[in-house]
Each structure stands twice: as C-alpha cells, then as structure tokens.
Amino acid sequence: TRDLIQGLIVGSIIVLTLFRKWIPTNRKALALLFVMTCGGYSGFATLGMLGGTIFILPASAVVMAVFFSWRGTLAYVLSILGLCSLIAAGYCSGMLRLTHSADMLMTSSSHWTVYIISLYMFFTVAIVTVHKYRTTMSDLVKQVSSQRDELSHANEQLRDALNDVKLLSGLLPI
C-alpha cells in the first residue's frame, strides 16, 4: 500500500505538470503544496520511494509564503514541524518501524536515485519560485514607475493650466 499511495502521488504530480497551463496559479500552487506535502510525509514516515521529498517541505513553505497569507504560511510551517516531530517521536519510541533494514536502504542505488532526484526537485521548486517572484516584482515596479511618470506629467499639465487660468483671471474681469 505504501508504494501504491506514493505512486498515486507521483501520478498526481505528473498530471499537474501536464495540465499546468490550464490551472490558475493559486490553485496550481495549492495542489502542488498538497501533493508534495503528502509525498514528503508518506515517504518520510516509511522511507519509501518518496522519502527524499522531505527536502521539498522547506521549498513548499516558500511557495506558501509567495502565494498565500502570513497566517496561512505560519499555520502550514507549524503543521509541517508538528507532523515531522510526531514521526520522529514515533521512530524514537518504537511505535514506528521500518519494513526494511536502514542499512539496506542506505546501500540501495534505487533509493539514492530517488533522494537525488528529490533534491533536484527541491532546488528546482525553490529556484523557479524565487525567479517567478522576482520577475513579478520587477514587472510591478515597472508598472508603478510608468504610472508615476504618467501622473507626474498630468500634474505638470494641471499646474500649467492653473497658471493659464491665473494669467487669464488677471487680464479678464471674472
């Protein structure tokens, strides 16, 4: 069941990737957060094929901070820390046990492949998120600058018109 659940999570990521252009950004971010959080926890708790996605959880906090409110981000980060603490407590207390020897997992090339791919995904998500944020902020600064220039020009025209009115009022009895 562990591999089936994690396979469904990977399938969800692939579907999200294939249809990303037709999904609004906030919904896409929310879906990505949900899928990667589920993958991170299920892999972390069982050291299954998505165990390396625990690296995605810090990047998901960045995505959360960019797209959602401060309270939502704080709640998300605290829930991540709480669930990771519960998993750690489960292993430390003996309530959770690995189905395979940790020694076998650490010498398995397939597990290392998944961990390295997950680390790559972490870097990719973090870099793309920050890059998109910077691009959006740059565009917004350009728009504000353009609007400021337009307002400055309109203000100058209004001052000139006011001076013309003052000049005319001095010449004409109004």
Side-chain angles (χ1 to χ4, degrees):
T1 62
R2 173 193 76 179
D3 292 339
L4 177 64
I5 291 170
Q6 293 180 9
L8 288 173
I9 291 169
V10 170
S12 299
I13 293 169
I14 292 169
V15 167
L16 184 63
T17 303
L18 292 175
F19 295 104
R20 70 183 180 276
K21 292 183 180 190
W22 298 283
I23 302 172
T25 303
N26 278 357
R27 288 185 188 207
K28 188 173 11 185
L30 190 60
L32 182 64
L33 286 170
F34 177 76
V35 169
M36 293 312 291
T37 301
C38 290
Y41 284 128
S42 70
F44 182 52
T46 63
L47 287 185
M49 67 178 175
L50 292 179
T53 57
I54 191 69
F55 297 120
I56 293 293
L57 295 177
S60 66
V62 172
V63 172
M64 189 74 181
V66 169
F67 290 103
F68 299 100
S69 72
W70 169 250
R71 280 187 185 181
T73 301
L74 185 60
Y76 181 75
V77 168
L78 291 176
S79 70
I80 286 174
L81 293 173
L83 287 172
C84 285
S85 297
L86 286 174
I87 292 169
Y91 278 118
C92 291
S93 69
M95 290 173 57
L96 291 176
R97 296 200 182 275
L98 295 176
T99 56
H100 301 291
S101 161
D103 232 9
M104 193 257 333
L105 293 174
M106 291 299 119
T107 58
S108 169
S109 62
S110 61
H111 273 80
W112 278 108
T113 301
V114 171
Y115 288 137
I116 291 170
I117 289 170
S118 297
L119 189 58
Y120 166 77
M121 289 173 60
F122 165 76
F123 289 136
T124 302
V125 168
I127 289 169
V128 167
T129 301
V130 171
H131 175 72
K132 291 290 184 182
Y133 174 78
R134 289 175 62 188
T135 302
T136 302
M137 287 299 111
S138 176
D139 291 345
L140 288 174
V141 166
K142 287 176 186 175
Q143 286 178 356
V144 167
S145 177
S146 172
Q147 290 172 352
R148 184 192 66 227
D149 293 344
E150 289 174 15
L151 286 173
S152 176
H153 180 68
N155 191 25
E156 188 178 315
Q157 287 177 335
L158 286 172
R159 275 194 233 141
D160 290 344
L162 180 61
N163 287 336
D164 290 346
V165 167
K166 285 180 182 178
L167 180 67
L168 286 175
S169 68
L171 296 174
L172 299 172
I174 299 179

